[in-house]
Amino acid sequence: AAGDPVGAQAIKILMNSLFGVLGAPACRFFSPALANAITTTGQHVIRAAVDAVGALGHSVIYGDTDSLFVDASEPDTARAAARAETLRAAIGDAVGAAITRDFGCPSFLELEFEKVYARFFMPEVRGGTAGSKKRYAGLVVTDGVEPLDVVGLEAVRRDWSGVARRFQRELLALVFHDRPVADFVRAFVADLRAGRFDAELAYRKAIRKPLAEYTKTTPPHVKAARKPGAGGGRLVTYVVTRAGPEPVDGLTAAPDHDHYVVHQLRPIADAVLRFLDGPDFDAITDARRQLSLFS
């Protein structure tokens, strides 16, 4: 599939499918040894690449199943991009040599340089200090412009509201360009409470089993699905109102703006603000003082 991106994608899907059947006990091709060999080989190659990066005097920011994020130690993005190709070739040669040394066979692996991030952000796992897997954002250097690239964060997740996705993108854009954020956060919260984002409050979440089988717990989207106007489909689009979750085509109450401030905006903001050495979301929005008025 050289030079054929569609063919390459098809081969990738077939290879992933093969791994799936090898690791599925119900499949006639089930083979734990082969499935484990695939993952172990991938881990071995990634570790060899990490060692190569270190030997070249650089550090790995983040490693994924089949990719590495390397600190180029170069503030100038043009020079970083130029250095990236040299790094790619050197790391690829080192990995190939390691495979030949360890297994006595030639390596046909080819590393690819994908992109340069001018700025990069990876939130910590909530309640921990480690970075979260496959969740990050950055400014990509592309033909002299720096578009925002978001992977796995709320801004690209269907089960978060549109207002949350907008908030995260705008907040990250400010942070990446070293602009102040406190006034933006306050104004955004005020606009949300004033109803200016009411068209962006809907959640979309799928029903995974018959509604009658939700007995021990009743998630919000299930509550909405049981109300008039839900439509009966597997995908429920709903808004959290002062009367609880309601389908968008069957709203009977005003939106619960406090819900969106507390459960959508606040966690997104605090994941970023904790790195800025400034006030957190509640301090910026004066939430603690407002709560004290009623205590």
Side-chain angles (χ1 to χ4, degrees):
D4 179 7
V6 176
Q9 180 66 15
I11 292 174
K12 180 178 180 180
I13 293 172
L14 286 172
M15 293 175 67
N16 287 337
S17 300
L18 176 61
F19 171 73
V21 299
L22 290 172
C27 180
R28 64 187 295 181
F29 301 117
F30 176 54
S31 175
L34 284 176
N36 288 334
I38 292 171
T39 55
T40 301
T41 300
Q43 293 170 3
H44 184 88
V45 171
I46 284 293
R47 291 193 183 101
V50 171
D51 292 342
V53 171
L56 292 167
H58 297 278
S59 59
V60 173
I61 299 172
Y62 167 62
D64 207 338
T65 308
D66 57 358
S67 61
L68 292 178
F69 292 68
V70 177
D71 183 358
S73 303
E74 174 55 70
D76 183 272
T77 55
R79 287 197 295 266
R83 181 178 297 178
E85 181 58 32
T86 302
L87 282 174
R88 181 205 65 78
I91 295 168
D93 290 344
V95 170
I99 291 175
T100 301
R101 181 190 67 238
D102 295 341
F103 302 104
C105 62
S107 170
F108 295 96
L109 294 173
E110 184 175 340
L111 274 65
E112 178 184 358
F113 162 62
E114 187 171 350
K115 63 187 71 172
V116 169
Y117 286 102
R119 307 294 293 271
F120 186 75
F121 168 71
M122 175 177 285
E124 294 174 351
V125 176
R126 286 172 192 162
T129 57
S132 54
K133 298 294 184 181
K134 297 184 179 181
R135 299 182 68 244
Y136 54 85
L139 292 180
V140 181
V141 180
T142 305
D143 298 327
V145 297
E146 297 177 347
L148 180 65
D149 182 37
V150 181
V151 175
L153 298 179
E154 292 80 0
V156 293
R157 288 179 52 180
R158 184 184 66 186
D159 57 346
W160 281 68
S161 66
V163 70
R165 295 194 293 269
R166 174 199 288 263
F167 179 70
Q168 186 174 61
R169 284 187 173 277
E170 294 183 9
L171 177 62
L172 286 173
L174 290 174
V175 171
F176 284 151
H177 290 97
D178 297 317
R179 296 170 185 164
V181 300
D183 288 344
F184 161 76
V185 172
R186 276 191 291 267
F188 200 100
V189 170
D191 286 344
L192 173 59
R193 292 188 184 280
R196 296 188 179 94
F197 297 124
D198 281 1
E200 302 177 44
L201 301 182
Y203 294 93
R204 299 174 69 222
K205 196 162 186 179
I207 299 290
R208 301 298 181 187
K209 57 186 179 181
L211 293 178
E213 294 185 12
Y214 288 92
T215 54
K216 292 184 179 180
T217 60
T218 308
H221 67 297
V222 174
K223 293 179 181 178
R226 289 173 173 169
K227 294 182 179 180
R234 291 184 58 83
L235 188 62
V236 181
T237 304
Y238 68 97
V239 172
V240 176
T241 73
R242 294 176 184 174
E246 295 185 331
V248 292
D249 292 330
L251 297 178
T252 66
D256 183 354
H257 295 123
D258 285 339
H259 163 86
Y260 290 91
V261 171
V262 173
H263 297 289
Q264 295 276 281
L265 304 192
R266 181 164 67 181
I268 287 174
D270 281 340
V272 176
L273 294 173
R274 66 187 314 276
F275 295 102
L276 300 183
D277 195 26
D280 63 11
F281 180 83
D282 284 348
I284 290 174
T285 59
D286 209 15
R288 295 187 182 91
R289 188 186 69 81
Q290 294 176 32
L291 289 175
S292 68
L293 297 176
F294 302 96
S295 61

